[in-house]
Amino acid sequence: LHLFSFLDKNSRKSLAKTCHKLLEVFQDPLLWSLLNFHSPAELKKDNFLLGPALKYLSICWYSERVKVCNIEDWMKNSFQKDFCNRHENTVNDFLLEVCNRCPNLLSLTLSGCGHVTDDCILLLLKNCPNLMTLKLENCVRITDQTLEAVMLFGGSLQTLHVDFCRNVTQTGLEKVREKCPLVMLRAERSASMIPDNKPEKKLMLEKASRKFAQL
């Protein structure tokens, strides 16, 4: 187990194929308390085990292609939509597996996961009651609904980051600070960013602003 702990997932899988004894080590839950992924494609590989021993999970995608996922859905062209359709549900589906199989999760970090939804984070908070750290960065579909889920189900949460999540509002952040004063909250460049609004919504907001100015 100690030797396996120095290897990446692919190397562990390769070594496990050499003999039955090493396969048993590969399948030992103690080896899989921490998992790091660097792209959605890695989530579909058969080179790791997902189970109740998992404590620390991170999915961080820093590719240039993340920018495509961050474009508002109503602004994407057909090529961009096709690109997103190939992996749109990959991270959400994986996190649902985590909800069902990893109740002892303590820490989750998601970066560049532009398709992760509030509903998915809500289920994770419900099913992983011991979660202490939740770090979300550049997850554009995350809104104040996630903040509300934190207030309802994040009883063990100690650290919450929602950096560069443009659809999180200042009002939502203030509620978390009020209801969960012990949670270390960070929201770098989130509430100050321009949220997603369809053109008709923007037009209504502009009209409302003009009426307010007239009054």
Side-chain angles (χ1 to χ4, degrees):
L1 278 172
H2 182 64
L3 292 174
F4 263 81
S5 69
F6 289 97
L7 303 177
D8 60 30
K9 294 187 290 294
N10 286 332
S11 299
R12 291 177 180 180
K13 184 67 174 181
S14 297
L15 187 57
K17 292 179 179 178
T18 59
C19 75
H20 292 294
K21 189 65 177 178
L22 292 178
L23 178 60
E24 290 178 9
V25 179
F26 177 84
Q27 294 172 339
D28 193 318
L30 293 176
L31 187 63
W32 303 103
S33 62
L34 182 150
L35 283 173
N36 295 316
F37 299 94
H38 303 289
S39 75
E42 290 186 15
L43 302 176
K44 295 184 176 181
K45 293 184 178 180
D46 185 28
N47 60 0
F48 63 91
L49 291 182
L50 202 59
L54 182 63
K55 300 289 182 64
Y56 307 93
L57 171 64
S58 72
I59 306 171
C60 299
W61 194 24
Y62 297 116
S63 167
E64 284 292 314
R65 290 174 290 179
V66 172
K67 294 180 180 178
V68 176
C69 300
N70 288 343
I71 299 172
E72 293 92 328
D73 290 339
W74 56 272
M75 289 185 63
K76 290 176 183 173
N77 58 38
S78 57
F79 171 79
Q80 292 165 336
K81 288 179 180 178
D82 180 63
F83 170 76
C84 288
N85 286 338
R86 298 174 193 172
H87 64 268
E88 184 171 7
N89 297 317
T90 301
V91 178
N92 279 326
D93 290 345
F94 181 80
L95 290 178
L96 290 178
E97 285 294 313
V98 172
C99 289
N100 294 328
R101 300 163 63 180
C102 310
N104 300 312
L105 190 69
L106 298 178
S107 174
L108 173 65
T109 299
L110 301 177
S111 180
C113 300
H115 299 293
V116 170
T117 63
D118 293 314
D119 289 341
C120 193
I121 300 299
L122 168 63
L123 285 175
L124 192 132
L125 286 167
K126 281 185 175 181
N127 288 277
C128 302
N130 299 320
L131 192 70
M132 300 172 64
T133 300
L134 177 60
K135 296 182 179 180
L136 306 174
E137 178 187 61
N138 209 10
C139 298
V140 296
R141 292 194 180 185
I142 295 301
T143 71
D144 285 359
Q145 291 183 34
T146 287
L147 300 182
E148 292 172 4
V150 165
M151 290 183 281
L152 289 173
F153 305 107
S156 300
L157 211 62
Q158 298 178 3
T159 300
L160 173 64
H161 292 180
V162 282
D163 299 331
F164 294 88
C165 298
R166 64 172 178 252
N167 287 301
V168 168
T169 70
Q170 188 63 40
T171 300
L173 294 171
E174 289 173 356
K175 286 183 179 179
V176 172
R177 290 192 178 98
E178 178 185 350
K179 301 290 185 181
C180 309
L182 299 180
V183 174
M184 294 179 61
L185 176 63
R186 192 179 80 183
E188 184 179 348
R189 297 288 300 276
S190 289
S192 60
M193 299 176 77
I194 300 174
D196 298 346
N197 287 303
K198 290 187 177 181
E200 57 267 24
K201 290 185 178 180
K202 291 181 179 179
L203 184 60
M204 290 175 63
L205 289 172
E206 289 174 1
K207 289 181 179 179
S209 298
R210 286 197 293 268
K211 287 183 179 180
F212 182 77
Q214 291 173 356
L215 293 173

